[in-house]
Amino acid sequence: MRYAMAIDTRKCVGCSDCVVACQTENDVPIGFCRDWVTETVDGTYPNVSIELRSERCNHCDNSPCVRCCPTGASHFEDGGIVLVTHNKCIGCGACIQSCPYEARYSHPDGYVDKCTFCIHRVRKGENPACVSVCPTKCMYFGDLDDPNSEIVNVLKNRKFKALSPEAGTKPNIFYLT
Amino acid sequence: MKEELFVSGRNIPNIDPYLNIWHWQIPIYLFLGGLAAGILFLAGVYTILGKEKEMQATVKWAPFIVPFALIIGLGMLFLDLKHKLYFWQLYTTIRLQSPMGWGAWVLMIMTPISIIWSASYLREVFPNWDWKFKFLCTFEAWVIKNRKLIAWPMAIYAVILGIYTGILLSAFNARPLWNTTILGPLFLVSGMSTGAATIILMSKNHEERKLISRLDLLFIAVELFFIVHMIMGFLAGSQVQIDAANLFLGGQFTVPFFVFVIILGLLFPAVLEILELIGFKMPIIIPAILVLLGGLIFRFIMVEAGQITRYLY
Ligand code: SF4
Ligand code: SF4
């Protein structure tokens, strides 16, 4: 099993519903977020292109954050989901330094927090909160090892990219372009 | 033209707009670690060479600072933690891939060695010192007899500790300014140089001071070479590394880096030490203090600047 997400940058309208859904679902403290939406504008008027991306932890296959954690608080769960065990985390900040995507933050309670792919929902067979709430249905969540899954299908038929693959972390969030 | 912004208004403390999760504690931790490594290395080497008589400050007095430096260093590491109550878990896990874990363990081994080393010289400072318990006296006698034997692992561990202070940073691929293998050796020689400076400050023997300041000159030369090497390496690297080097070559850290680290921390003390060597009378305290300050500021700049370098997608 290898969980991943594909996000359609052509359908996304930047409404930030995914951000709010995550904050509500996961009790993210005010002023923090586990996912966020960026807008990249390329070119000068009238030749401009805009790309909207909903970003979060990439649940990397080769994740530096798991490697550098001195206590094993950052670890892999089934399906390659990267999680932080709160009462094992000492808050040293090494994993925050190690993430090329700035996907982690220091929770006001001291431990490090980030996207969990809503593992509590996924284990019940549901989609992560961000995916299920998206009004344009631009996000696909699923198992890359299952040839019949929607995500494998969409990645087969569309052009896609990952963010900063040169950072070498083997990210698992793919952006359909 | 390409511009990126957060549509969802992300502004997380210490992460946006620039990462600043490690504050003053980490540079001080690295500085004290390097200083301790420098002193213990020189103490070990001169003990192995059988020079205890000639190099009193190196072998006996300067190492008294080390246990304090290491304990304060560990204290700094502790202060940096945000989930402090769970600190003990650093010592219930061994994770070879984690530089943070390495550091905690290396310090845990180094601190007792340095305490034992200094304790064995305690009676030379306070002749009336009494260890109270018999087994402590026996242990002391054993240590005094086997100093050369202890000096070997001590010197080797000192090198590991010194290199470690650089590796803690260089292991982070996500921070291009740190992600260079030269950082280990660079922080090691810089630590040696600050250790030598401390010895110079503590020594009352002219010959010893001269010898150590000559060594310091060598450390400074190697350090300068490594810094040039590091920047050349960045400039020959990928875009993120070129951007990292440019922080020092015209970017926002140019002035503090060249003024405090290169000129005041390395070149100026080197010139003073050379003048002293060719016979001019120099207050040797000045280059020593400049080297110490330069080493401290160097670590502050590296930690601060490294955090703002990143992969931009
Ligand atoms: S995106 Fe960052 S936090 Fe998430 S797995 Fe990759 S390196 Fe770790
Ligand atoms: S902050 Fe917590 S999760 Fe991150 S590396 Fe340190 S102990 Fe591990």
Side-chain angles (χ1 to χ4, degrees):
Chain A
M1 221 165 23
R2 212 146 58 88
Y3 286 123
M5 221 182 246
I7 301 173
D8 196 336
T9 58
R10 297 188 164 254
K11 272 201 207 150
C12 175
V13 292
C15 67
S16 302
D17 265 10
C18 47
V19 180
V20 180
C22 170
Q23 286 163 331
T24 319
E25 173 78 26
N26 297 301
D27 267 329
V28 178
I30 292 179
F32 295 81
C33 55
R34 290 179 180 184
D35 58 348
W36 58 95
V37 181
T38 64
E39 178 184 283
T40 312
V41 183
D42 208 355
T44 40
Y45 183 81
N47 296 316
V48 281
S49 69
I50 288 183
E51 185 178 273
L52 289 156
R53 286 190 311 256
S54 167
E55 297 181 5
R56 60 192 49 49
C57 166
N58 286 270
H59 297 272
C60 310
D61 281 347
N62 180 24
S63 46
C65 55
V66 172
R67 244 180 292 137
C68 75
C69 178
T71 65
S74 284
H75 65 283
F76 288 112
E77 288 281 332
D78 287 349
I81 297 182
V82 175
L83 273 198
V84 182
T85 312
H86 295 168
N87 59 12
K88 262 184 152 184
C89 172
I90 59 174
C92 67
C95 56
I96 299 181
Q97 301 286 5
S98 80
C99 173
Y101 305 97
E102 328 282 26
R104 295 172 164 247
Y105 63 86
S106 179
H107 190 282
D109 287 349
Y111 53 82
V112 162
D113 198 27
K114 65 170 198 69
C115 163
T116 61
F117 261 173
C118 279
I119 192 165
H120 57 289
R121 293 170 60 99
V122 172
R123 280 193 179 138
K124 283 189 277 180
E126 294 168 20
N127 269 331
C130 51
V131 176
S132 62
V133 82
C134 177
T136 63
K137 303 238 176 311
C138 78
M139 293 191 224
Y140 305 87
F141 177 81
D143 177 7
L144 289 182
D145 287 341
D146 172 6
N148 300 319
S149 64
E150 204 181 6
I151 183 166
V152 170
N153 201 23
V154 81
L155 288 176
K156 229 186 260 162
N157 294 313
R158 293 276 303 270
K159 275 203 185 119
F160 63 87
K161 65 171 181 192
L163 298 180
S164 292
E166 68 275 20
T169 63
K170 297 212 165 60
N172 279 316
I173 307 274
F174 303 101
Y175 293 92
L176 308 173
T177 55
Chain B
M1 205 185 80
K2 198 167 180 168
E3 207 179 4
E4 184 174 299
L5 48 91
F6 291 123
V7 183
S8 58
R10 185 181 127 133
N11 192 14
I12 302 178
N14 294 330
I15 310 264
D16 298 315
Y18 292 117
L19 193 66
N20 191 8
I21 206 81
W22 283 351
H23 308 288
W24 51 274
Q25 297 95 334
I26 295 287
I28 294 182
Y29 168 58
L30 298 179
F31 173 75
L32 292 174
L35 183 98
I39 294 176
L40 290 187
F41 177 75
L42 293 173
V45 167
Y46 280 109
T47 305
I48 293 167
L49 294 176
K51 290 255 165 64
E52 291 100 329
K53 290 257 145 46
E54 298 89 333
M55 315 287 289
Q56 301 244 2
T58 315
V59 173
K60 300 179 187 171
W61 316 139
F64 274 105
I65 295 182
V66 172
F68 297 101
L70 291 180
I71 289 170
I72 296 173
L74 265 176
M76 288 296 145
L77 179 63
F78 179 70
L79 277 184
D80 164 68
L81 302 181
K82 308 230 161 33
H83 217 198
K84 295 193 171 52
L85 284 182
Y86 297 80
F87 172 67
W88 51 274
Q89 295 186 73
L90 262 181
Y91 293 109
T92 52
T93 352
I94 296 185
R95 289 187 42 93
L96 292 181
Q97 284 182 315
S98 159
M100 266 283 173
W102 264 90
W105 279 105
V106 169
L107 281 189
M108 212 47 172
I109 296 171
M110 223 43 217
T111 313
I113 296 184
S114 71
I115 291 176
I116 292 171
W117 186 266
S118 295
S120 79
Y121 279 114
L122 205 57
R123 279 214 286 195
E124 293 196 21
V125 191
F126 305 105
N128 295 327
W129 182 270
D130 180 8
W131 282 110
K132 294 272 188 320
F133 296 102
K134 183 133 194 314
F135 74 93
L136 283 178
C137 296
T138 343
F139 186 57
E140 186 201 25
W142 182 85
V143 173
I144 291 174
K145 223 170 72 211
N146 292 295
R147 277 207 184 109
K148 272 212 172 88
L149 204 74
I150 300 174
W152 275 103
M154 186 167 90
I156 294 170
Y157 260 110
V159 172
I160 296 180
L161 174 63
I163 290 191
Y164 156 74
T165 60
I167 292 194
L168 176 69
L169 302 184
S170 75
F172 293 118
N173 164 45
R175 308 289 143 212
L177 179 68
W178 294 345
N179 191 219
T180 161
T181 40
I182 202 75
L183 221 57
L186 173 56
F187 274 43
L188 174 68
V189 279
S190 164
M192 296 279 172
S193 170
T194 54
T198 314
I199 295 172
I200 292 172
L201 285 180
M202 295 183 73
S203 172
K204 296 205 173 60
N205 174 343
H206 185 66
E207 284 305 305
E208 180 179 17
R209 287 219 295 228
K210 230 166 126 184
L211 185 69
I212 297 289
S213 85
R214 219 175 278 176
L215 262 183
D216 193 29
L217 209 50
L218 177 72
F219 293 143
I220 291 177
V222 176
E223 191 177 340
L224 276 169
F225 169 75
F226 280 166
I227 289 178
V228 173
H229 196 64
M230 172 177 87
I231 291 181
M232 277 169 56
F234 282 143
L235 289 177
S238 59
Q239 186 62 45
V240 287
Q241 288 178 313
I242 295 171
D243 291 347
N246 282 338
L247 284 179
F248 294 155
L249 306 172
Q252 63 191 99
F253 286 93
T254 313
V255 173
F257 182 71
F258 279 96
V259 173
F260 294 116
V261 179
I262 302 287
I263 297 178
L264 286 179
L266 295 167
L267 291 178
F268 191 53
V271 169
L272 289 183
E273 282 175 0
I274 292 173
L275 285 178
E276 159 97 24
L277 279 185
I278 55 179
F280 288 91
K281 268 269 152 287
M282 285 290 151
I284 198 81
I285 300 191
I286 296 179
I289 290 183
L290 285 177
V291 164
L292 284 171
L293 284 177
L296 184 62
I297 296 172
F298 178 48
R299 284 162 181 78
F300 267 95
I301 291 179
M302 283 307 282
V303 169
E304 193 82 0
Q307 293 186 78
I308 72 172
T309 60
R310 55 178 285 187
Y311 280 83
L312 260 187
Y313 30 86

